[in-house]
Amino acid sequence: MAYEYITTETQDGVAIITLNRPKALNALCAGLIAELGQALQSFDADAGIGCILITGSEKAFAAGADIKEMTDKTYQDVEAEDFITGDWEVLSKVRTPTIAAVSGFALGGGCEIAMMADMIVASDTAKFGQPEITIGTIPGSGGTQRLTRAVGKSLAMYMCLTGEFIDAETALRSGLVAKVVPTAELMEESLRIAKKIAGMSRPVARVCKEAVNVALETTLTEGVRFERRVFHATFAFDDRKEGMEAFAGKRKPEWNHR
Ligand code: DAK
């Protein structure tokens, strides 16, 4: 599939989507978001893919929604077309585990896209921010919600109300990212993690992801109840039996992804 604003490739069960609009620091124009949604949906439906890795360039993961594209829109326009909502949300809905490998700027919609991934691996040059307030608006794709859940109220308020960026170390300390690595090692380490996840039983990885996500949507009692039911349900998978037999037999499991 030929895309204009992204590139895609696959490696050992991992799909790699690279945002590729370098002159605009990967600003998320409607065409890019449509292509991202399309690529995500097609990899999510591909039984051979066990993890999806999204990345940008060394200078920018993405510097936000395309401001120039938004400038002349009116309230009536954005309300009528439910402005860019559909494809923006695909990443938060795919069942395949996802990783955002972030170097450089992850701002506004760029930070929001990264936060929709299941985890963020950041280079030591990464900068995260929600600077929408500096252009007279507020985060529109989960920035006030996912950021607050990830880093807590005070840091989220600071970022959303001042528009100032945080560096990779602050992002790590606050729980926004899973890991920080030197820029030169970002893809190698992100791919290592992605391939490890892709090497697990795919249905088990899918329900594991679903259970972790439930933690953000429900009470502890309900979450633990959901987890218990899903844990029981893993005993219906061939791969659960294979995994335990392989452990006892001191061999590597051979998943059939069922
Ligand atoms: N949009 C359009 N173009 C952008 C851009 C952006 N967000 N960010 C950078 N560019 C362009 C610049 O205009 C420049 O283009 P030319 O002038 O060369 O044509 C080129 O990329 C290089 O940028 P700079 O020359 O500015 O590079 P610097 O290194 O000096 O500065 C910077 C880098 C990232 C600090 C700066 O470019 C910057 O402040 N960019 C804007 C950051 C920002 O405010 N981002 C938030 C945008 S608002 C929604 C979903 C999401 C959203 C809304 C709704 N729904 C689902 C409803 C999201 C909104 C946003 O993200």
Side-chain angles (χ1 to χ4, degrees):
M1 174 93 204
Y3 292 110
E4 186 179 350
Y5 301 108
I6 61 173
T7 63
T8 63
E9 61 175 298
T10 59
Q11 255 187 56
D12 302 332
V14 175
I16 304 165
I17 301 175
T18 304
L19 310 182
N20 187 30
R21 221 190 148 203
K23 285 190 188 133
L25 304 183
N26 292 332
L28 303 161
C29 60
L32 189 156
I33 288 295
E35 290 185 0
L36 179 62
Q38 211 177 324
L40 283 166
Q41 270 165 342
S42 92
F43 285 130
D44 197 36
D46 184 336
I49 296 299
C51 189
I52 302 171
L53 181 60
I54 301 173
T55 194
S57 68
E58 194 174 314
K59 180 157 186 202
F61 176 75
D66 191 318
I67 299 168
K68 296 164 191 168
E69 204 175 70
M70 286 189 289
T71 305
D72 291 330
K73 286 191 187 292
T74 63
Y75 170 79
Q76 286 77 4
D77 293 335
V78 298
E79 193 278 334
E81 63 188 76
D82 205 5
F83 181 48
I84 52 182
T85 300
D87 287 313
W88 277 87
E89 291 171 343
V90 175
L91 181 54
S92 65
K93 295 200 171 122
V94 295
R95 297 173 71 209
T96 308
T98 56
I99 299 175
V102 173
S103 181
F105 298 112
L107 306 177
C111 187
E112 290 168 314
I113 292 278
M115 289 191 293
M116 279 181 219
D118 296 325
M119 71 186 85
I120 302 174
V121 179
S123 85
D124 50 10
T125 63
K127 286 188 171 42
F128 298 88
Q130 297 290 164
E132 288 88 342
I133 197 160
T134 67
I135 55 167
T137 183
I138 72 163
S141 201
T144 61
Q145 303 302 303
R146 290 194 179 88
L147 183 66
T148 308
R149 283 163 172 77
V151 306
K153 176 178 155 182
S154 191
L155 186 54
M157 284 287 191
Y158 158 71
M159 291 170 70
C160 292
L161 289 174
T162 67
E164 290 183 9
F165 309 157
I166 59 168
D167 62 16
E169 279 310 316
T170 307
L172 182 65
R173 213 171 42 243
S174 61
L176 182 60
V177 310
K179 198 162 188 175
V180 176
V181 295
T183 307
E185 292 165 27
L186 178 66
M187 279 316 281
E188 188 188 333
E189 178 59 5
S190 303
L191 261 173
R192 184 193 69 76
I193 298 167
K195 285 180 186 176
K196 187 156 194 179
I197 294 169
M200 303 297 173
S201 162
R202 295 198 181 125
V204 177
R206 277 200 298 268
V207 296
C208 184
K209 161 174 172 156
E210 188 178 356
V212 173
N213 277 331
V214 164
L216 296 172
E217 306 277 358
T218 192
T219 63
L220 181 60
T221 302
E222 276 308 304
V224 170
R225 204 167 69 85
F226 180 83
E227 179 193 79
R228 188 71 35 85
R229 293 293 164 245
V230 174
F231 164 71
H232 290 162
T234 63
F235 283 69
F237 290 132
D238 299 347
D239 286 342
R240 193 281 315 166
K241 193 157 192 300
E242 166 62 11
M244 294 188 182
E245 281 177 358
F247 175 81
K250 298 188 188 302
R251 61 174 175 82
K252 278 187 80 170
E254 283 180 33
W255 311 124
N256 69 11
H257 303 292
R258 291 175 60 81

